[in-house]
Structures are given as C-alpha cells and as structure tokens.
Amino acid sequence: MAAARVRSGGRPTLEEVAARAGVGRGTASRVINGSPRVSAQTREAVEAAVAELGYVPNRAARALAGNRTDAIALVVPESETRFFAEPYFSDIVRGVGAALADTEMQLLLTLAGNDRERRRLASYLTAHRVDGVLLVSVHADDPLPDLLEQLGMPSVISGRRHAAETLPSVDSDNFEGARAAVDHFISRGRRSIATITGRLDVYGAQRRLDGYRKAIASAGLDPDERLIAPADFSEEGGARAMRELLVRRPDVDAVFAASDVMAAGARQVLRESGRRIPDDVALIGFDDSAVARHMDPPLTSVRQPIEEMGRTMTRVLLQEIANRSEDRAVERPRIVLPTELVVRESS
Amino acid sequence: MAAARVRSGGRPTLEEVAARAGVGRGTASRVINGSPRVSAQTREAVEAAVAELGYVPNRAARALAGNRTDAIALVVPESETRFFAEPYFSDIVRGVGAALADTEMQLLLTLAGNDRERRRLASYLTAHRVDGVLLVSVHADDPLPDLLEQLGMPSVISGRRHAAETLPSVDSDNFEGARAAVDHFISRGRRSIATITGRLDVYGAQRRLDGYRKAIASAGLDPDERLIAPADFSEEGGARAMRELLVRRPDVDAVFAASDVMAAGARQVLRESGRRIPDDVALIGFDDSAVARHMDPPLTSVRQPIEEMGRTMTRVLLQEIANRSEDRAVERPRIVLPTELVVRESS
DNA sequence: ACTCCCCTTGGGAGCGCTCCCAAGCCTACG
DNA sequence: CGTAGGCTTGGGAGCGCTCCCAAGGGGAGT
C-alpha cells in the first residue's frame, strides 16, 4: 500500500508533523488552526516541524472532517459573460481575489447557463459544500437566490433583484450616478435631455431611470416621456433607441445612455444624422469602460467601483459565513457604493 | 451527535442510498461511478434510490478517498488581470467553462501576484490537490511552469514561453496573423510598412514581429529596421513608438501594431500629426478587441480565437490528467490555432 | 498541606467515499 | 455430475483531519 501509489511528493500529514514536533495530533492541529489553547513552547515546536516538513494541510480531509470547505463560489450567468466581457467580469474577480488574498478561502468559478441549470446548481453548490456563494448579475426572476436562501447557504448578491431584496447585497449607486450625469448636462445648459434605458427588469437600469427623472424634475424641466427610450444594453438597441429619439424630439441636445455600449450605438446614429458631439448633442454613458475611453470623442461616463464591489461582496460573504450559526435574525447588509462621473469630451 | 449539528438539508450519504436500494455500499459506488461491473437490475435500483433521495456525492470525501479532486485551477497572473481585462479573460473562462460543462470537474480561479507568491502557489496547488493547472499569460522567466513540471502536476500553458516550450501548450498563430496583416497592406499598395511590437520577451510578440519580417521579405520590400518600433503593449507605449516612427520614416504609409491598445495610441499620434486613417496611413491592430470595434475609424485587427483556446487548453489538460499515470514519454501536445484578419475601415 | 480548578495535552471516533479482497453464484465445459 | 472460471457483490480498511472527552500537571486558595 505504502509505496504502491506513485505520488509526486508524498506530502507530509498532520500525524507526521506531530511526531516530528514530539506532540500529539490534536495539539498539532490546534497550533495549525491558531487555537489559543497551546503553550508558547509547544506552538514553536510545531511551527518548526511544519516549516521543516513543508506541511500544508489537506483540504479534502479538512472539509470532510470539519464539514466546511473554505471555498466560496462565484456564480456567473454564462449567457452573460460576453455581455459583461467588459472590465466588469475581470474587475469583480480582482476584487474578490484581493479580499480573499489573506484568507484560506478558495474561489470556485461557476458558469450557470439557463434557469434549469441554475436550479441544479443549487443542489450542487450545497452538495459540493461551498461555504458561501457570490451571485453576480441576477435577473429579477432568477430562481437561484431564493433557492440558496431556503437552503440556508450564505450568499451575497451584486446589485439587487428589486427594491425589497432579501439577500445581503452590494450595489453601486445607480440612482445618484444617473442623477449626476443629468445634473452635469443641466449645468452645461442642456435642456432637452433624453435617456436611453437598459432592460427595465434589471433593477439597476430602473434606478438609473429613476435618477434621470429625479434630476429632470429637480431642475424644473419638462418631464417629457418622449425623451425616454427603452433599450436592452446592446449597441444595436442603443442605436435603435437613438433613432426613435431623433424622430420624437429632433431638438434633443443631450442623451444619457444607461451603458457605454448603448452610448456607442447612439453615437453612431447621431453621427449619421449629421449631429456633432458634443456641440449639437452631448452624450454620457454608464460603466466607464474601455469603450468610453476610446470612443471618438472620448465619452463622459459614470464609473462604478466594480473592483471594490467585488471586494465588498466578499467581505460581506465572509462575515455571513462567520455568522452562519448565529442568530438568524441578524439583519442583512445592503451596501450601496458611490458612483462617479468621469467627464470627458462628449459632454 | 446525530441531530446535534444543524445542517440545512441533511444530505443523504452513499450508505443511505445503498440501504434504500437494498445493496451494499460498494455496489452503490460502482453504479454511481459508472462501473460496468454491475447488473442492469442492480443499476436501476441504485439509480432509483439516487433519484428519490436526491443524492449528490460529497466531493471532499471523494477527494480524500480517491486522492484526486476533480478540480483544475486556472492560474492568472494578478498583475495582469487589468492588462487583459479586454475580452481575453472572460473569453478564456467561457472556453474553459464550455469544455468543463459535461464534466464533473470544477474550476478553481487562482490569482497569483508576484513571483514569490507564484512559488508558494505551486506547493498550494499540489497540497490542495488540484488535478491539473491551466497557466495563462506566462512570462519567459516565470518559475511556476517549471515547478509544476517538476512536481509532475499536469499543466497546460497558453501561448509559450519560448520556441522550445516543454509543457503542453495552446497558442494562436501569431506568426501567420502578423503576416496576413502585412500582406493585406501590401495587396492594397502600401510600401512603407512599419510595425509597433509588444514586449519582445513575450514569445507571441516575437512571433508577430517574425511574421511581419517574413511578409516584408516575401514581398521583396526593403526591410528597414527603422520601420520597427518596440513598445510594451500599452497605449502610451504605442503612442511613443508611433512618434519615433514618424521621425525616422515620415513617409510611413502603414502601421501594424501588435495589439489594439497600441494601435489606439498610434492612432492618436497619427491624428495629431495631421495624417488621415486610412488615407495617409493605414493601421492594423491585433486582438480584435472592443477597442478595435469602437475606434474611429473602426480598426482592422487580427482576431485570436480566445474562447477556443480556452476550450482547447481544457481538453488538452483533461487528456493529460487522464494520461497522468501513463507513459511519461508521451509527447506533449503543442497546438496552434489559426488567427483571422478582420478587415474594417482603418486599412 | 490538601483540595479545587484551570490549562494543556493525547488520542479515539468519526466525516463519506474509493479501493480492493474475498465470498457467493451461475454458466460452461470436460 | 464435478469443477474451473467469470460475474457480481458486500464490506473492511483506510484517506487526513477536526472535534471532543478524559487525563495529567500546576498553581492558587484556605
């Protein structure tokens, strides 16, 4: 049995560390897990043994014995990875990675396709015993969040599904971001300010529209519904919406698009209609993506602190995991991170 | 002990499935792992029990008993996640996810910072017992690949470190991509064709330069070294290189930049110098990123099949893992995927 | 000086699964 | 009719670790 299996290193076990340090397995375990119930002298001996042997605990054994995994899953709706191929994805990951850096936690990346798969996913996640789940880009009717909640799996959601989100959530301030964009238009003397919205079943898109409305109203401008063109976050959708706007209100002199990509579509249409940006029509996007920086003219855009969202989500999740067995009545954190208007030449 | 721990579901175990099906644990295990050494009748009984109980195997137990993990790690150099925030990262992940979809394999995402961390990483990866490693964006002097190779950990590398790469690798055809770009210039009558290179310690960048040289030579053009400007993949570097080119060869009428981002920098400088694109100077980038599509004018660019690279890498890795215990002498696959010139208005 | 209590420590009992051996059964063959 | 050999099958022995209990040692208190 012993030498039968050709293992690369023959990793040392806790037992071996304990033997080397001249202590029992339990004591060695205590040292490794930072329990305070160990004398300084013993601790040193064990630590020395760990160093000498290059011991690294076996995760599987830990997970099995401890009924936890020291791993969290980042669930990404696969259908959308392309959609948010923009910095979003990688920035979130960086944030999560940063927050996990000093932890023993591992990050599991899970791509979930359609709803059926997501349903299966819930059972997988609990069976594979992930300690917690990070949910990114969730639709209002996604079944997964509720499933996870029922299963008592600690979870944090990016954005929200609706105003009454029950899960802990970390969102950016879509409302204020939109408002800042429109206020910016107003302060520069624009009066016929339109908006191209994202899919309004996405809470964030709704909030951006709310912010737009609020800014218009606060400024005492005429809230013309013809200045609101719904789209779907796509470039083509943005172009289509822009065309509609030009028909309905040819005098439009500013457009706030709820995403940079839609702004790119709008820009195209504005160009084709012979309008100059920003001279004739000012344009602002949302996301502050690479598209914004490289657009011609460079696009003013609302920046979301995406990496920070990833970091915060992770911190909140770790907290939730730590509180797991605690009072179920602890209130769920709902964090809203500030957005920032990055002014470039399009406005 | 039994009901002491408040577990969400009280997941069924193999033992319970076996009891329910009226068979032994071993038999149940065989069915679940698709062993052929089970009678059809028994198989059905076990499968029924699995379905009724909603049994899902416990990964940790499996890993511990089977000395494998059914997980692979995607190692991303953290310092570069921003650098390749462009489609790259998410496309790779999609490809990997797609290849893993029908598998039981999980994907572990590991961000490794500097070299020291990467060194530690090797021991972690083996201790956490990942079955294999996907290495993305590796520098020529990265210690990790060799460490993994020594440890006998199945690994696949994207791109290569150098011509004599020892690890299994999946790369895109940088050489042909570059050549196609330059050939395209030539076919459109350009004669003073320059190139802005990436960091030449990156093998891919070197190959792109080779392709450029080859195309120039094949066409019988004068291979003027002044037409070759080294840069570092950054926008600012691209701009700097372009300025140099304009000084050295003011008559340049075409520029092949080894990345879209550098092309964006070059475009800026060309604009400032009063040159029109493509009328005065044609421009081609590499990557076919969002930047290319949204540039003004839209940038002709060499597309790499990134998602497919992710898929292929994964398949190769799974194969390597399957062959693990086999002959060590099996040759290492080195796959090169074709690139494609996407012609837009800048050329 | 004796007792009580707290701090440390060792190690048994699993966690749920895979691996493998030995046993039971049936079929085919001599 | 006996026996060899192939299929299936059950279940013991761990995998390496955490949890927890009981035991041993001191120090403080009276």
Side-chain angles (χ1 to χ4, degrees), chain A residues 14 25 29 55 62 65:
Chain A
L14 223 211
R25 182 168 28 79
S29 174
Y55 171 77
R62 260 197 173 155

Side-chain angles (χ1 to χ4, degrees), chain A residues 57-129:
Chain A
N58 179 316
R59 268 209 137 82
R62 260 197 173 155
L64 184 56
N67 197 52
R68 70 200 158 96
T69 58
D70 291 335
I72 63 175
L74 175 62
V75 177
V76 179
E78 177 154 31
S79 52
E80 293 184 39
T81 54
R82 170 142 297 147
F83 171 54
F84 66 140
E86 275 299 322
Y88 203 100
F89 187 25
S90 31
D91 278 359
I92 282 278
V93 168
R94 301 183 94 226
V96 174
L100 248 33
D102 327 301
T103 318
E104 279 291 85
M105 285 278 174
Q106 313 192 300
L107 180 59
L108 231 57
L109 199 58
T110 319
L111 305 186
N114 49 44
D115 275 6
R116 206 161 48 77
E117 263 186 56
R118 286 170 89 81
R119 234 174 273 275
R120 264 189 32 198
L121 190 62
S123 98
Y124 269 164
L125 289 178
T126 51
H128 294 170
R129 296 229 162 70

Side-chain angles (χ1 to χ4, degrees), chain A residues 195-215:
Chain A
T195 186
I196 297 176
T197 79
R199 293 181 38 187
L200 292 179
D201 58 336
V202 175
Y203 182 72
Q206 181 63 53
R207 291 299 286 161
R208 289 173 200 177
L209 175 54
D210 294 346
Y212 162 85
R213 286 205 159 104
K214 174 73 174 181

